[in-house]
Structures are given as structure tokens and as C-alpha cells.
Amino acid sequence: KAGVTQTPRYLIKTRGQQVTLSCSPISGHRSVSWYQQTPGQGLQFLFEYFSETQRNKGNFPGRFSGRQFSNSRSEMNVSTLELGDSALYLCASSLAIGLETQYFGPGTRLLVL
Amino acid sequence: AQKITQTQPGMFVQEKEAVTLDCTYDTSDQSYGLFWYKQPSSGEMIFLIYQGSYDEQNATEGRYSLNFQKARKSANLVISASQLGDSAMYFCAMRAFQGAQKLVFGQGTRLTINP
């Protein structure tokens, strides 16, 4: 069974631009979560989607948004990029919400110049 | 709120030795799960092992075992017979069954296996 895939793997943007990251979960998984990883803040939860509905949201500004499609694929969008948005963005999928194990994709490395 | 503490920023171990990575957690929830992930330099988080708060037996997965001491709120990862490929960052994480069900991660431990 194929794992979680994320595209693109690497991205370079400039301040003020917006970016869209994509995540395809493991087949049959209906929950998708997004995390931001930086050297200073570590791994921080962005949001979780299940059945096209946002179930949980982390403490990030409204510039960070996401959505989930009927096939469970998910996208996250960051508008008006700031230098501090440079990070590794990880997507994880699980069968459902609750205590299900989350399986991670390879991540998208975003560099904002 | 949940909190994970990993007190070992870095560890150096000789190949074939066993290694214990420490993890303590704090939560007021009764039902929760504890997870360990490995992150090589490539960046991908690899799931290693899971322990549920109501599990009476310590979890094991191949060379990985989880030393779960509920009263002390600790969930240490034990890697037996370490290999060079075990060199990576290791993260302890927890997730509550109710409320905000996000995965909360510790700061990680960088493990280096020396030949």
C-alpha cells in the first residue's frame, strides 16, 4: 500500500506570496493532519480534517488554511508569506480521528526569501 | 493540555549496544496514546511504536520496546542491538482521546550510533 505523498517536496517563495501544499493520504485513511516543523519551535500542529470537515485547529494565524476533498486528499494554503513561515510542513494520515496512529509523508520544505 | 518532555538532546551509543530514550508526559486525560517516531535527515517521520494508556503490557515492535510506567508518566523507548541506521532524531508524542486530539510532540533526541 502506498504511503502518504506530499507535493511539492521543495518550494522557494518570496515574502508576500501565497503557497498551496498538497497531501494524498494512505488509501482508506480519512483523517489528514498538518504540522509545521522549525528548528526553534519544533513540531507544531496546524489542523486536522476528517470527512472534509476541520476537526481541530492549532494556534496559527488565519493566513494558514486548509481543506479536504471527498477523496480525502488535502491541501493547505499559506497566504502573505513571511520569513518565519520557512519550515518543513508535514502531512499525516490516519484511518480515523481519536487514538489512531498517524503516518507521515516526506514533507514539503518551504523556504521564504 | 498535554506536554511531552524529552530531556536528552543528544545521545551517542556504540553499535550493537542497547539504548534507552527518555520521555515523560503530562496530561489530565485518562485515555490517551503514546507514540514514538523516528526522523532521519531526509525529514520523513517514521512511526515506530504505540502504547495505549489502558494497555497493561509494554508494547514491542521488533527491536523497539516501550517501557511504560503510568504512575510515573514515563514512556521510554528502548532500542536493542542498535545499528548504524538507527542514527536519527527520535520524537515522543501523545494524543488524547477526547478534546483537542492533536499529536503533541517532545523536542526530540538526536541519537548517533558509532561503529
Side-chain angles (χ1 to χ4, degrees):
Chain A
K1 187 181 279 191
V4 178
T5 58
Q6 291 186 246
T7 56
R9 294 291 312 278
Y10 304 92
L11 208 49
I12 300 175
K13 292 286 187 178
T14 57
R15 279 183 301 173
Q17 287 186 312
Q18 75 167 16
V19 66
T20 298
L21 310 182
S22 181
C23 172
S24 292
I26 293 171
S27 177
H29 285 196
R30 296 172 62 192
S31 173
V32 173
S33 297
W34 289 89
Y35 297 84
Q36 180 197 64
Q37 186 178 24
T38 60
Q41 299 298 318
L43 281 147
Q44 294 185 285
F45 170 76
L46 281 157
F47 25 66
E48 179 177 29
Y49 288 87
F50 180 76
S51 293
E52 301 178 67
T53 301
Q54 186 180 89
R55 299 291 175 150
N56 291 294
K57 188 177 190 305
N59 188 25
F60 278 82
R63 300 185 297 106
F64 291 81
S65 63
R67 58 178 176 169
Q68 187 181 34
F69 302 96
S70 59
N71 62 357
S72 294
R73 191 177 68 86
S74 177
E75 289 181 347
M76 68 163 279
N77 183 275
V78 188
S79 62
T80 319
L81 284 166
E82 300 177 359
L83 297 180
D85 297 333
S86 295
L88 176 66
Y89 290 88
L90 291 161
C91 166
S93 77
S94 58
L95 281 169
I97 56 177
L99 297 182
E100 297 284 342
T101 296
Q102 293 189 343
Y103 296 91
F104 286 78
T108 294
R109 290 190 186 274
L110 172 65
L111 177 63
V112 182
L113 301 175
Chain B
Q2 295 98 40
K3 184 178 179 181
I4 296 284
T5 303
Q6 294 180 253
T7 57
Q8 307 153 310
M11 286 193 69
F12 295 84
V13 174
Q14 288 298 120
E15 189 180 8
K16 299 181 183 178
E17 287 184 351
V19 57
T20 298
L21 305 181
D22 295 340
C23 171
T24 58
Y25 61 93
D26 189 22
T27 182
S28 58
D29 296 284
Q30 296 301 310
S31 180
Y32 52 87
L34 295 156
F35 305 82
W36 276 92
Y37 288 88
K38 170 185 177 181
Q39 187 178 42
S41 56
S42 61
E44 183 172 358
M45 298 284 281
I46 301 167
F47 166 71
L48 296 177
I49 196 165
Y50 164 81
Q51 179 86 41
S53 60
Y54 291 114
D55 294 340
E56 295 185 353
Q57 302 279 346
N58 285 341
T60 60
E61 287 286 350
R63 292 186 301 112
Y64 304 107
S65 60
L66 200 153
N67 185 359
F68 180 47
Q69 298 187 42
K70 193 171 182 177
R72 299 179 63 179
K73 292 190 175 179
S74 75
N76 298 339
L77 176 70
V78 180
I79 306 174
S80 63
S82 57
Q83 303 171 355
L84 296 179
D86 294 334
S87 293
M89 282 289 289
Y90 288 80
F91 291 94
C92 180
M94 76 173 299
R95 182 166 174 161
F97 183 70
Q98 293 182 331
Q101 296 169 336
K102 61 182 181 179
L103 258 183
V104 175
F105 287 87
Q107 288 300 105
T109 296
R110 180 170 296 282
L111 176 64
T112 302
I113 308 298
N114 295 315

